[in-house]
Each structure stands twice: as C-alpha cells, then as structure tokens.
Amino acid sequence: MNIHEYQAKDILNGYFIPVPRGRVALTADQVERAAKEMGGHCVIKAQIYAGGRGKAGGVKLVQHPEQAQEFGKELFGKKLITPQTGPEGLRVRRILIEEAVEIAREFYLSITLDRESSRFCLIASAEGGIDIEEVARNSPDKIHLLNIDPFTGLQPFQARKIAIALGLTGTVCEDCVELIQNLYRCALEKDCLLIEINPLVETKAGWLMAMDAKINFDDNAMFRHREYPDMLDYSQLDPLEISAGKYDLSYIKLTGNVGCMVNGAGLAMATLDVLKEFGAEPANFLDVGGGSTREKVAEAFKIILQDCDVRGVFVNIFGGIMRCDVIAQGIIEAASEVQCRLPIVVRMDGSTVEEGKKLLLESGLNVQIGENLGDGASKIVAMLLKKTVA
Ligand code: GDP
Ligand code: MN
C-alpha cells in the first residue's frame, strides 16, 4: 500500500528523522495561505502515488505566496505523467507546501525488503537526487548495499560504515548513524516494504533532513495496523482496483487487451506467460481466489468487462474447492446482465467440469471452451483476430 509524501514524512518525523516544516493544501487559496505561513520562500510539491515528479513539473521552488497560488492553480486537477505513473498519469488532488531549505549535498537512502535474501536491505549513495536511476545504471559502484541480519538487527558499526561511505564526517556523520538506525526501526515497526528518502540532504546549516520520502506498506501486515486503510487516497487508485478490493478480489491492470480471470497467483502468472507466448497481451488479471461463490465470480467478471481496454476475456480456473458449474453460472449471469458480446474463452478443470462446459455452450454467449491452457490461449487469439478482420 502506498501513502503520500507528507504522510511518509509524518511517520519519519515520529522516528526523529528531521523533515522540513510543511502543510497540505486542497485548494489554491490554501496553497497561498500556507506559503505565507512559510514566509513566501517555499517549495510546492504535487502529492501523487509516484516519484519522478521533479522532472515532470510537479515540484517548484517559489518566492512569493502569489506565485505559490498560481502554481497551485496550475497543478490542481492536472495529470502528472512520470516514468513511475505509466502513460495514463496521476491526477493532483493534494499539494504539499514546505519551507525552502538550502541544500549543500543530496544523498540517496532507502531500505527495502530484498526478496532474494529475505532480508531488509539498506541502499545508500552519495549521489542522490532526481538522477539516481542514472547513477545506478552508469556507476553502480557508487551505490552501497547492506543486507541486514534479522537476528542481530542493524548494528551501529554497520550504520557508521554507510555514513562514512557517504563521505560524512564529524557530527553529521554521527547524526547519520542515528538516522539510519531509526530508519531501520521504522521499517520494522511499521511493516514497510520500502522507505525511500531521495534526497536525504545535508543543509547549508549542517543538518541532515529528509527532503522527499516514499513509504510502501506491506499489505500482508495490514492486520497489525488498523489505521493504515484510513490513510489511503482513493483518488490515486484505479476505480476498478477499489471495487475489486470491496469483494476481496485482487485486480491488476496491465496494458494489453485480453481480460483474464483466474484463481490463484501461480495460475495467474502461468496464464499471463502462456497468453504472451501465443501473441496475446493481457489487459489485466483478476484473481478470484480459492473458495469463491457464484456472486463473487459474477462481480469479478463485471469488473473485467468495465476495463475499457478489454476486447476479449480469457478465464482460466481450476475447480478444486470451487465447482466449475458455479463458475459457469457466475460468468453467464454477469455476461448476460451487461449484454457482453465480446469473445470469451473458458478453460476450466476440476469438479463438475462437464456440467460447467455444458452450461456455457448452451448460454448463447460468444464463448468457446479451451481444452487446456495452450488450446484456450490460441482460441482467444484466433477469436480476437477474426473480430479485427471482420
Ligand atoms: P521527486 O522528483 O518526485 O523525487 O521529488 P523530490 O521531492 O525529490 O523533489 C525533486 C527535487 O527538488 C529534489 O531532488 C531537490 O533537489 C529539489 N527540492 C525539493 N525540495 C527542495 C527545497 O526545499 N529546496 C531546494 N533548494 N530544493 C528542493
Ligand atoms: Mn525524490
């Protein structure tokens, strides 16, 4: 789960990591008032669930409250497109106004869960800022990595090694050691998949400060943090993702034109791979989970059809706990309700598979049965081709 920069900074502040004084605004007038409060000289920052805002025109240093208001007007409602938003971009609904800080040096500091070692990994670089991706690409030796042993935790000497590698000396170096240890504590206690401070700066006055912050919570730990869902900004999410969430379904948007309904993450991955192998591009996938009901399947199918990129639907379900005739009924119910004429291919197997197939073939829908995964994938590709030719 993502949160905004200002929320991430609040959390970091709670762990004694200094952040600039700031305020969140929902209107251009509020931007102006906040800018006045900061003394006019401030930074205006679009709050979206993506980074790369600086280069996309979402961050601006201003000198006067009127200038702040003007930029606020320009930003509110605007879609920012950055390398992290995808081509559709994200709309700005909240703006953070912060006191301007005089920066002496910019660093990169993050902590993330490394799936390969199953450990938290600390990443630091003396060349932080908006070009960090290029640093990683062109001079990976400038990036320092540290895998943290969960048993011993992060040791002060390890944090000091990183601080020294960043070129820090004296009191700032000691501040950095403390900051790194607090960052690790925050990642652990708040169940973060990622905390990224880019840039972490040394101010001209000689203090360390998190100028930008990104936090991503681990969804699997949600039960430990009942307050997290209230932090969500729904304007930043795909509406279909929100409706899927209501029915406890996981919906992932992709860029192609075949909607996919599957059960289980492993089957979803295999389905996407095989579709690609046959030359199809998935528009999304929706995982209906294990013990689903007819209503849930129907809701899932309707969500897939609401994705306006979908030109055909591929269903790949193994009826273990779930019976195939129930799946078929759910599909028929949903497709009839929204009068779907799109090509549908259903590949299913397991309990009551024959009854399920029979129901589908007699439904009057534009549906074909895939005998196996490959057969199903080739059928949906053929049906889509026929449609484009016709
Ligand atoms: P991102 O592009 O989405 O990562 O947005 P950031 O919050 O990192 O802002 C982009 C850049 O703006 C930073 O790397 C800083 O160089 C600059 N910046 C942000 N806040 C301030 C500030 O208070 N003073 C100055 N001088 N620069 C700032
Ligand atoms: Mn940044």
Side-chain angles (χ1 to χ4, degrees), residues 79-91 253-256 309:
K79 265 194 174 175
L80 281 187
I81 300 171
T82 85
Q84 295 180 22
T85 59
E88 62 289 347
L90 281 170
R91 219 177 274 287
K253 177 73 187 131
L254 300 165
T255 52
D309 295 327

Side-chain angles (χ1 to χ4, degrees), residues 6 13 47 178 206 354:
Y6 73 89
N13 198 32
Q47 300 294 288
E178 234 172 82
E354 292 312 322

Side-chain angles (χ1 to χ4, degrees), residues 373-386:
L373 188 43
D375 180 52
S378 71
K379 277 183 174 148
I380 191 70
V381 170
M383 284 173 94
L384 281 171
L385 265 181
K386 210 168 92 194

